[in-house]
Amino acid sequence: MSETNIKLYLKPVDFSKWKPASWVQSKFSLGKLLEKNQTKLPLEKADIVLLGMEEDRNAVVKGSAKAPNKIRQHLYNLNRISPRFKILDLGNIRIGKTVNDSYYALRDVCSNLVEQGKTVVLLGGSQDLTFGITKAFEANPFNLVNIDPKFDFKKGIKSINSETYLNFIIERQPNLYAQTILGYQNYFVDSLELDYSHELGSELKRLGEIRYDMSNIEPYMRDADVLSFDINAIRLLEAPAQYFGSPNGLYAEEACQIGHYAGMADQLKVAGFFNLVPRLDHDDLSSKLFAQVVWHFLEGAYYRKVETPSKKTDEFNEFLLEIDDIDLPLTFYQSQKTGRWWMKISDEEDTREHIIACTEDDYRLAAQNEIPDRWWKNIRKLNRMQNK
C-alpha cells in the first residue's frame, strides 16, 4: 500500500481548530511542531506516527469514540520534546460500515506503517481495537502487553467486545508468541481465569507486584511488539472518564512511568490507548492524564536506545552459567551502556535460539543454581511455536 492509498483511510487533522491553552507557549508546543511537520515532514522520514480511531460500537459502554480528539487537544498543549522530533499526526482512521471493516482498516494502516519502520501510537476508541492491531502481525510472531485491571477474555465466548477481544487474539492469531497482563487486581479475576492464563503461558503481574518495583516491568515492555493500555487500570480518582471505576489502580505517575518504559522499548511497534469515555470525565482530568501518558511514551521513544546482544559486538558482557538440571549452560548478556540484561534460550533440539529481555534478578537466581521462571515460560513458548 502506497502513502497515497494510506491517505484514503484517513481524515487529516485540521490544526486551525486547535486552540492552545492560555498557559501554553505555543511555539514550543507539540501541537505547533505537528502542525509544521504536517506540511514539511514527508511520511517516509517520520519515526513516529499518531493516529486516532473513533470506533466504539463493540464497547461494553459507549462513548470512547469521542476520546481521540479530546486526548489530542491536551497532548498538543504539551512540550514538543525536541524541535527536530520526526513525528506526524496523520489524523483519524475512517471507521468502516461495520466494526469488522474498522478492524481491517486498522490492520491495513498499521501493517503498512510498521513495514515502513514507523512506531504507531493509536488513540482509541474501545479496547477491542487491539484485535485489529494484532491482525497486522499475521505474518510474523509478536508479543502483546496489556495494561489492565482484569483479564479481557471469557472462555467459550464467541462475540467480540471491549472485554472479550483477547479470546479472538488468543484463538485466531497463531503468531502470538507471548501475552503479558500488567497491573491486574486479583479480586477482579477468578481462579479459573488464572489457571487458564497459566495454561496459555501468559505472563501475569499483579498491581502490587509492579508497584513494588516499577523497573521490573521494563523487560516485558522491551520485548513487546504491541501495547494495549486500558484507562480502567488507573484508579478512578485520577481518571474518572472510565466505566469500570475502581478506587484502586495505577497512580497517575505510575501510568506515565509505564508509558515511558513502553516508549523506550526496543521493538515496540504499535501502542494503543483505550476506553476513555469523555462524557464521564471531570475537568478533562482523564484526557489530560492520558495525554501525559502518551507524551511520556513519545519522550521514551525519542531517546530510545536499540540494543541487540550479539557475538559481533564488544558492547555486552557475556556470562555462561552451569545449572544442574539443564544440559547446556545458561547464557546472559548485560549491556555495558545501559546495564540492561538479556538471556538466551534454545529449543529442544538446540537448533533455534531466542534472546529475551530479563532482569538482573534472573541472572542472580541462575547464579544460585535456580532456573528463572522467565526461562521456563519462554522455553515452553519457543517449543510451542516450533511445533505449530
Side-chain angles (χ1 to χ4, degrees):
M1 189 196 307
S2 67
E3 179 179 346
T4 302
N5 288 338
I6 285 182
K7 289 181 178 178
L8 296 176
Y9 286 86
L10 303 172
K11 294 187 293 184
V13 175
D14 182 356
F15 283 95
S16 68
K17 294 182 179 179
W18 172 60
K19 304 299 180 187
S22 58
W23 54 266
V24 174
Q25 294 189 67
S26 180
K27 66 179 181 178
F28 300 135
S29 68
L30 183 60
K32 185 59 68 174
L33 176 68
L34 288 167
E35 183 177 14
K36 182 188 77 173
N37 287 354
Q38 188 182 52
T39 57
K40 294 187 176 181
L41 181 67
L43 178 58
E44 62 267 18
K45 292 187 177 180
D47 296 323
I48 295 182
V49 172
L50 284 173
L51 293 167
M53 196 156 197
E54 301 167 301
E55 175 65 85
D56 68 355
R57 282 175 287 181
N58 274 345
V60 170
V61 174
K62 305 292 190 291
S64 57
K66 302 289 186 182
N69 291 336
K70 201 69 174 175
I71 297 170
R72 272 194 182 93
Q73 174 187 333
H74 299 290
L75 180 62
Y76 286 3
N77 284 335
L78 304 179
N79 185 277
R80 62 188 176 183
I81 300 171
S82 167
R84 293 173 294 279
F85 197 5
K86 295 178 181 178
I87 179 173
L88 284 175
D89 190 339
L90 296 184
N92 291 334
I93 301 174
R94 300 179 188 276
I95 66 170
K97 185 175 181 180
T98 68
V99 182
N100 276 338
D101 293 335
S102 292
Y103 295 151
Y104 280 97
L106 182 55
R107 177 202 65 179
D108 291 347
V109 173
C110 287
S111 177
N112 182 270
L113 293 170
V114 168
E115 284 177 10
Q116 293 185 57
K118 315 301 178 192
T119 299
V120 179
V121 177
L122 180 72
L123 309 177
S126 49
Q127 201 175 11
D128 51 283
L129 292 174
T130 308
F131 175 60
I133 293 171
T134 61
K135 290 185 73 63
F137 296 85
E138 289 178 325
N140 298 294
F142 68 96
N143 297 339
L144 168 65
V145 172
N146 292 77
I147 311 299
D148 219 293
K150 51 189 174 50
F151 301 170
D152 289 333
F153 62 76
K154 295 176 174 59
K155 205 169 181 179
I157 295 294
K158 301 301 181 185
S159 58
I160 187 171
N161 63 40
S162 55
E163 293 189 359
T164 62
Y165 66 91
L166 279 179
N167 289 52
F168 290 74
I169 295 173
I170 291 167
E171 295 168 8
R172 301 188 186 186
Q173 304 292 70
N175 279 319
L176 176 64
Y177 174 78
Q179 194 258 328
T180 301
I181 300 175
L182 300 176
Y184 81 92
Q185 298 169 48
N186 215 32
Y187 34 77
F188 297 137
V189 179
D190 187 79
S191 60
L192 293 177
E193 291 180 306
L194 280 171
D195 292 342
Y196 183 51
S197 296
H198 289 305
E199 287 175 20
L200 294 170
S202 298
E203 299 269 10
L204 309 171
K205 290 292 180 184
R206 290 175 63 172
L207 176 63
E209 290 181 275
I210 66 172
R211 175 167 290 155
Y212 175 74
D213 186 354
M214 290 292 289
S215 65
N216 281 335
I217 71 170
E218 187 272 333
Y220 297 100
M221 293 298 186
R222 202 187 325 153
D223 279 349
D225 297 286
V226 179
L227 170 70
S228 179
F229 198 132
D230 182 353
I231 199 169
N232 293 293
I234 303 171
R235 61 201 293 256
L236 180 64
L237 187 63
E238 304 192 12
Q242 53 175 284
Y243 62 81
F244 194 63
S246 173
N248 283 308
L250 294 166
Y251 290 98
E253 60 269 23
E254 292 171 335
C256 289
Q257 196 168 356
I258 288 172
H260 183 75
Y261 280 133
M264 290 177 60
D266 292 8
Q267 66 181 43
L268 196 134
K269 301 171 181 67
V270 185
F273 300 87
F274 303 110
N275 287 344
L276 190 156
V277 183
R279 63 180 167 78
L280 302 178
D281 215 352
H282 302 305
D283 299 322
D284 286 355
L285 188 64
S286 310
S287 302
K288 291 174 181 176
L289 176 54
F290 243 8
Q292 291 174 15
V293 174
V294 172
W295 186 93
H296 279 86
F297 178 92
L298 298 176
E299 183 192 41
Y302 181 77
Y303 293 106
R304 181 183 292 177
K305 293 180 176 65
V306 177
E307 299 180 296
T308 305
S310 167
K311 295 178 181 177
K312 298 179 181 179
T313 179
D314 58 0
E315 296 178 353
F316 295 85
N317 299 319
E318 183 177 349
F319 303 90
L320 299 176
L321 299 177
E322 299 284 349
I323 295 185
D324 293 342
D325 296 332
I326 302 176
D327 294 334
L328 297 172
L330 263 184
T331 304
F332 287 85
Y333 302 95
Q334 184 191 27
S335 167
Q336 296 175 5
K337 287 185 176 180
T338 63
R340 297 189 295 181
W341 287 83
W342 291 259
M343 75 171 86
K344 182 169 71 176
I345 60 173
S346 305
D347 61 19
E348 292 170 339
E349 284 79 33
D350 195 29
T351 57
R352 186 178 180 187
E353 293 182 351
H354 191 53
I355 295 176
I356 62 169
C358 67
T359 65
E360 186 174 357
D361 287 343
D362 292 319
Y363 166 74
R364 293 188 184 281
L365 271 178
Q368 296 169 12
N369 205 39
E370 294 185 40
I371 303 172
D373 188 48
R374 278 179 67 73
W375 187 90
W376 280 118
K377 287 185 176 180
N378 279 276
I379 280 290
R380 288 195 288 268
K381 292 170 188 171
L382 192 63
N383 291 330
R384 187 182 73 238
M385 295 295 289
Q386 186 81 357
N387 294 329
K388 283 186 177 180

